[in-house]
């Protein structure tokens, strides 16, 4: 594997700018001002041996550290677990991915929420959202003191328009409610079973920000029976929030009656009810309250095809918020149009659906049909000044992609999954469904990853991305060097990442590629590379950045953050034996100014390389280990594990030093 940089090109920074040490959980969060912050969490457990076969983990304390967009520590929350009565263990302890201020109380401190799911006896769970202020009060043990506790988990967050410097959050806490029933109703078929199932419901409580020290204010409650939830009642959004201009809205959807006909035991066959209706209620945020602005009712009709067991109706299953449209279908005021998904559940299949998509007006009348009979739909990124588009995938003996203008309902073009060129000397190319579009000048182009890589004259495997113009006409194929022995690869195809300046500042395209690479002895490793496509300035292309598994674990999470003032690439690792996560963060572009770096790892002063038969070490240095053919097989900062490597001789490099090591 080679790592190339042209002599006259800006230096490529191959070192992470910040490393997250091993932790139990990590993630990102939406912060004030539209920023993206990060967090890590450490969970302290007692391990109780229940039997010779099972040891239970009992959470005793938790610590979460919050970092801003520049990876500066904003604050740390540490507290011990407060078990109540019959509560026994915590299977879920997570930091809610939102930072607020003046929502749970009225001071200026940042607020974070820790969500807990707690086992409390057979079949019983408790849920709590425990709120803390960063830099808040501590108790006599030094633990942070909660400022508020909600007896349910956050289900939805809406940030409504507000004055500059202010925040106006609305949070929805959702919980399921079941009736207290005698166990006898679960025996022989009976009316009581149906009544119990029918009365089970989901309760959604919407809270506005606090006006005093009593916490956020409940401003709205919506209850929907579980059997009247929309869509398939499992994976369909039943609440959508959105903003439009200076206004904010909540959309609640549900069936007017139970989706199924009455059934009287859990073994009864479920059949779809006739003459039902999908009700869509639009609530407008007025100050700190919600008021019903419009109701749309859409008939729920089972498709007449014999193979369809049921036809599920929903809003939000195609483009989520994009399924609520105020601008494009002749609507006005607080009465939008809706994109409705109808999923036909097909007989003799394992959760197989054929889906159709329609646009309905606020009066519940059909405006136009987008597409019918698709196996799936692929969202294409929005491009400023261009209509929204969706790809619908069909399989009538072979797969085909249908590119549809969502606003006009017009099919722009259809493309077989086997692309045939006008040139008879060119073989057809197999397309994948890894597709998006990106802005090019005043228009856009489509990028499609090709299924079959090629091998160049250097015996290097090349991933390939085909580009089509806005009319679906062939433009070019980019070839991306991945090195040797690639068994599987996938490019990161997303609109922002397809811009030529996403990873370097020059005009050439670079691609983020996840690679599964084979090694001697049958070993496999997952690697991440950033590689510049072959071009006139670099006919063989360039692998600019190569990231391998190291002593912290295997690659687990790869997340580019390409918007905002501080673009980043987060690469996460997971160590299965310890169940710990770690991450490196790279500043983008790789050849640009390193903005906002607070913990630069300096590997320029490499010390002596040591090897104990399992781990290569070099204090203060980045380590890369190569096999004798020049393929990089391990990498780490200060240490690199060789535990999974086949026996043989390897070359370890750290800074300017290199050393042969023998794995036995």
């Amino acid at each position: 594997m080679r790592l190339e940089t042209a002599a006259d090109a800006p230096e490529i920074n191959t070192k992470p700018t910040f490393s997250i040490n091993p932790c139990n959980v990590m993630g990102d969060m939406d912060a004030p001002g539209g920023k993206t912050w990060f967090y890590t969490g450490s969970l302290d457990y007692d391990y109780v041996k229940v039997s010779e076969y099972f040891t239970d983990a009992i959470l005793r304390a938790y610590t979460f550290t919050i970092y801003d967009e520049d990876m500066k520590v904003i604050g740390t929350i540490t507290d011990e677990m407060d078990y109540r009565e019959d509560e026994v263990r915590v299977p879920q302890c997570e930091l809610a991915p939102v930072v607020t201020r003046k929502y749970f109380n009225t001071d200026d401190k940042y607020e974070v929420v820790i969500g807990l799911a707690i086992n409390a006896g057979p079949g019983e769970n408790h849920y709590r959202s425990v709120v803390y202020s960063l830099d808040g009060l501590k108790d006599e043990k030094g633990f942070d003191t909660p400022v508020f506790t909600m007896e349910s988990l956050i289900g939805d967050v809406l940030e409504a328009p507000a004055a500059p410097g202010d925040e106006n959050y609305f949070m929805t806490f959702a919980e399921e409610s079941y009736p207290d029933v005698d166990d006898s109703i679960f025996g022989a078929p009976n009316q009581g079973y149906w009544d119990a199932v029918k009365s089970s419901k989901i309760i959604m409580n919407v809270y506005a920000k606090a006006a005093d020290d009593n916490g956020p204010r409940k401003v709205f409650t919506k209850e929907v029976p579980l059997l009247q939830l929309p869509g398939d009642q499992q994976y369909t959004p039943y609440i959508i929030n959105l903003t439009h201009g200076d206004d904010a809205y909540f959309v609640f959807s549900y069936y007017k009656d139970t989706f199924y006909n009455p059934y009287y035991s859990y073994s009864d066959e479920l059949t779809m009810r006739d003459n039902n209706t999908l009700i869509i209620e639009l609530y407008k945020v007025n100050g700190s309250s919600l008021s019903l602005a419009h109701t749309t009712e859409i008939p729920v009709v089972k498709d007449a095809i014999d193979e369809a067991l049921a036809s599920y109706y929903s809003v939000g299953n195609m483009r989520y918020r994009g399924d609520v449209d105020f601008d494009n279908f002749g609507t006005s005021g607080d009465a939008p149009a809706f994109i409705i998904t109808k999923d036909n559940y097909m007989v003799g299949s394992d959760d197989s659906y054929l889906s159709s998509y329609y646009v309905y007006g606020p009066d519940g009348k059909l405006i136009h049909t987008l597409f019918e009979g698709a196996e799936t739909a692929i969202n294409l990124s929005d491009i400023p000044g261009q209509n929204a588009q969706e790809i619908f995938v069909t399989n009538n003996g072979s797969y085909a992609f249908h590119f549809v203008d969502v606003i006009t309902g017009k099919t722009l073009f259809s493309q077989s999954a086997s692309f045939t060129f006008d040139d008879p000397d060119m073989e057809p190319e197999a397309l994948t469904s890894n597709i998006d579009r990106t802005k090019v000048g005043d228009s856009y182009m489509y990028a499609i990853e090709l299924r079959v890589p090629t091998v160049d004259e250097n015996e290097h495997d090349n991933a390939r991305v085909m580009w089509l113009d806005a009319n679906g006409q062939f433009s070019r194929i980019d070839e991306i060097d991945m090195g040797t022995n690639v068994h599987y690869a996938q490019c990161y195809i997303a609109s922002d990442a397809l811009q030529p300046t996403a990873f370097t500042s020059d005009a050439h395209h670079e691609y983020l590629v996840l690679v599964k690479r084979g090694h001697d002895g049958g070993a496999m490793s997952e690697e991440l590379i950033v590689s510049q496509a072959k071009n006139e300035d670099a006919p063989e292309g360039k692998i600019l950045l190569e990231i391998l598994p190291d002593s912290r674990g295997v690659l687990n999470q790869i997340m580019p953050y390409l918007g905002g003032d501080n673009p980043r690439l987060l690469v996460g690792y997971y160590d299965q034996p310890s169940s710990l996560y770690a991450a490196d963060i790279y500043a983008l572009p790789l050849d640009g100014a390193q903005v906002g770096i607070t913990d630069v790892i300096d590997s320029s002063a490499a010390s002596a390389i040591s090897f104990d038969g399992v781990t290569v070490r070099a204090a203060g240095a980045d380590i890369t280990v190569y096999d004798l053919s020049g393929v990089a097989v391990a990498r780490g900062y200060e240490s690199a594990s060789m535990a999974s490597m086949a026996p043989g001789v390897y070359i370890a490099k750290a800074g300017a030093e290199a050393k042969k090591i023998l794995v036995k």
Side-chain angles (χ1 to χ4, degrees):
M1 180 76 62
R2 66 188 187 283
L3 196 66
E4 294 187 23
T5 304
D8 57 349
E11 181 180 356
I12 300 297
N13 189 345
T14 61
K15 299 186 295 292
T17 58
F18 187 88
S19 287
I20 295 174
N21 293 325
C23 56
N24 294 108
V25 292
M26 66 180 184
D28 58 35
M29 43 201 324
D30 294 331
K35 303 290 187 181
T36 297
W37 289 2
F38 301 89
Y39 69 87
T40 60
S42 296
L43 309 180
D44 183 16
Y45 292 97
D46 282 345
Y47 294 94
V48 179
K49 191 174 182 61
V50 178
S51 71
E52 62 177 310
Y53 305 106
F54 180 70
T55 298
D56 204 355
I58 307 299
L59 181 68
R60 294 305 180 194
Y62 45 80
T63 298
F64 287 90
T65 302
I66 292 87
Y67 306 83
D68 69 7
E69 68 276 11
D70 294 329
M71 299 310 296
K72 295 178 181 177
V73 175
I74 296 295
T76 299
I77 298 297
T78 300
D79 201 2
E80 58 185 346
M81 183 61 206
D82 179 22
Y83 287 98
R84 304 174 187 170
E85 300 176 352
D86 57 346
E87 296 177 346
V88 294
R89 63 189 296 273
V90 178
Q92 176 181 311
C93 176
E94 296 180 346
L95 191 68
V98 61
V99 182
T100 59
R101 192 161 48 185
K102 296 185 178 180
Y103 179 81
F104 292 98
N105 59 26
T106 56
D107 65 28
D108 284 326
K109 294 182 173 65
Y110 291 118
E111 305 156 340
V112 296
V113 183
I114 294 175
L116 300 169
I118 310 164
N119 294 151
E124 184 178 357
N125 294 310
H126 296 167
Y127 301 95
R128 286 201 287 279
S129 294
V130 186
V131 184
Y132 299 87
S133 289
L134 296 181
D135 196 26
L137 296 177
K138 296 183 182 295
D139 64 17
E140 63 278 4
K141 297 180 181 179
F143 292 117
D144 287 275
T145 302
V147 299
F148 201 79
T149 298
M150 302 287 287
E151 300 301 320
S152 56
L153 298 178
I154 297 174
D156 184 82
V157 179
L158 167 67
E159 185 175 8
D166 198 5
E167 299 171 13
N168 190 21
Y169 283 102
F170 290 80
M171 292 191 185
T172 303
F173 291 79
E175 58 188 83
E176 294 182 3
S177 173
Y178 300 93
D180 293 326
V181 296
D182 190 294
D183 288 344
S184 63
I185 70 168
F186 295 99
N190 60 84
Q191 180 70 39
Y193 179 84
W194 170 252
D195 291 340
V197 173
K198 186 178 178 181
S199 60
S200 301
K201 58 190 176 183
I202 189 163
I203 303 172
M204 296 162 278
N205 293 311
V206 181
Y207 289 80
K209 64 182 181 180
D212 49 37
D213 292 335
N214 293 318
R217 296 161 291 155
K218 185 191 294 187
V219 296
F220 182 79
T221 297
K222 184 72 177 177
E223 298 184 2
V224 177
L226 295 180
L227 290 184
Q228 291 175 235
L229 289 175
D232 65 358
Q233 308 186 329
Q234 296 183 67
Y235 306 109
T236 298
Y238 47 82
I239 176 173
I240 301 172
N241 67 54
L242 69 155
T243 59
H244 179 252
D246 295 329
D247 297 314
Y249 299 89
F250 285 83
V251 177
F252 297 93
S253 60
Y254 56 93
Y255 294 118
K256 188 173 185 179
D257 207 336
T258 61
F259 182 81
Y260 301 107
N261 289 309
Y263 55 92
Y264 301 104
S265 79
Y266 58 81
S267 60
D268 282 358
E269 182 179 349
L270 303 184
T271 58
M272 179 179 170
R273 180 185 295 275
D274 294 328
N275 302 317
N276 210 344
T277 301
L278 179 68
I279 296 178
I280 305 172
E281 294 178 344
L282 180 79
Y283 285 83
K284 187 175 184 179
V285 174
N286 296 299
S288 60
S289 64
L290 276 66
S291 60
L292 182 62
H294 193 83
T295 300
T296 298
E297 297 192 13
I298 296 170
V300 173
V301 180
K302 181 177 176 294
D303 257 6
I305 57 177
D306 294 337
E307 295 84 359
L309 293 177
S311 298
Y312 302 120
Y313 280 63
S314 61
V315 59
N317 259 353
M318 191 180 88
R319 297 173 66 83
Y320 191 48
R321 291 185 178 92
D323 287 357
V324 183
D325 194 300
F326 288 87
D327 299 316
N328 295 295
F329 299 102
T331 59
S332 62
D334 300 320
F338 299 98
I339 298 175
I340 300 298
T341 299
K342 179 171 68 174
D343 291 318
N344 285 323
Y345 183 65
M346 308 304 290
V347 66
S349 61
D350 296 327
D351 294 328
S352 176
Y353 295 89
L354 281 181
S355 302
S356 299
Y357 303 84
Y358 308 92
V359 179
Y360 283 86
D363 57 0
K365 294 181 179 179
L366 180 67
I367 294 177
H368 65 232
T369 298
L370 288 178
F371 200 85
E372 293 183 310
E375 281 203 355
T376 190
I378 302 171
N379 295 150
L380 291 175
S381 295
D382 289 332
I383 304 295
Q386 305 290 338
N387 284 354
Q389 290 183 16
E390 193 83 5
I391 297 175
F392 299 104
V393 183
T394 59
N395 182 9
N396 297 311
S398 61
Y399 283 100
F401 304 110
H402 307 274
F403 294 70
V404 176
D405 186 310
V406 172
I407 308 308
T408 65
K410 179 182 177 182
T411 298
L412 302 173
F413 63 94
S414 294
Q415 172 58 55
S416 167
S418 177
F419 189 94
T420 302
F421 296 90
D422 293 335
D423 186 345
D425 294 331
M426 297 182 69
E427 295 292 329
E429 290 286 358
L431 312 183
T432 70
S433 58
N434 193 13
I435 307 172
D436 204 359
R437 60 175 181 165
T438 191
K439 180 177 171 60
V440 177
D442 295 329
S443 185
Y444 56 88
M445 294 182 70
Y446 303 97
I448 307 173
E449 183 176 14
L450 298 180
R451 187 170 302 279
V452 182
T454 58
V455 179
D456 63 23
E457 63 275 10
N458 298 313
E459 299 299 318
H460 282 217
D461 298 300
N462 289 260
R464 297 182 302 150
V465 174
M466 184 167 71
W467 289 77
L468 307 180
D469 66 18
N471 298 313
Q473 298 301 305
F474 174 76
S475 175
R476 72 178 193 273
I477 293 177
D478 280 353
E479 296 182 299
I480 304 122
D481 181 12
M482 301 184 294
T484 59
N485 299 321
V486 175
H487 288 233
Y488 173 81
Q490 184 174 30
C491 292
Y492 183 79
I493 301 293
S495 188
D496 288 346
L498 293 169
Q499 289 293 307
T501 55
F503 298 105
T504 64
S505 57
D506 62 26
H508 299 301
H509 275 83
E510 285 80 28
Y511 293 88
L512 188 67
V513 188
L514 183 65
V515 170
K516 189 179 291 289
R517 195 181 306 280
H519 304 287
D520 292 342
M524 300 282 288
S525 66
E526 283 196 348
E527 305 171 9
L528 181 69
I529 62 174
V530 176
S531 187
Q532 186 177 102
K534 296 180 179 182
N535 58 76
E536 61 276 11
D537 296 328
E540 295 186 2
K542 301 177 189 176
I543 297 177
L544 303 176
L545 179 65
E546 180 185 8
I547 300 171
L548 301 106
D550 61 23
S551 58
R552 292 169 295 174
V554 298
L555 294 179
N556 170 262
Q557 181 182 9
I558 298 165
M559 183 63 65
Y561 297 88
L562 296 174
D565 298 329
N566 297 304
R568 296 283 186 266
L569 171 63
L570 183 147
V571 180
Y573 302 85
Y574 177 67
D575 179 60
Q576 188 169 13
S578 65
S579 298
L580 294 178
Y581 297 88
D584 290 329
I585 295 178
Y586 298 80
L588 297 176
L590 296 172
D591 61 347
Q594 306 302 296
V595 180
I597 303 310
T598 62
D599 190 6
V600 176
I601 298 174
D602 182 7
S603 62
S604 59
S607 63
I609 297 172
S610 65
F611 180 58
D612 60 9
V614 177
T615 304
V616 181
R617 290 185 172 87
D622 276 333
I623 301 169
T624 303
V625 182
Y626 299 86
D627 64 18
L628 293 182
S629 65
V631 175
V633 295
R635 173 172 289 169
Y637 175 67
E638 293 196 336
S639 66
S641 176
M642 300 295 290
S644 63
M645 295 298 127
V649 177
Y650 296 83
I651 306 297
K653 291 187 177 181
E657 186 175 356
K659 180 178 181 179
K660 285 185 179 181
I661 60 174
L662 176 63
V663 176
K664 297 181 180 180

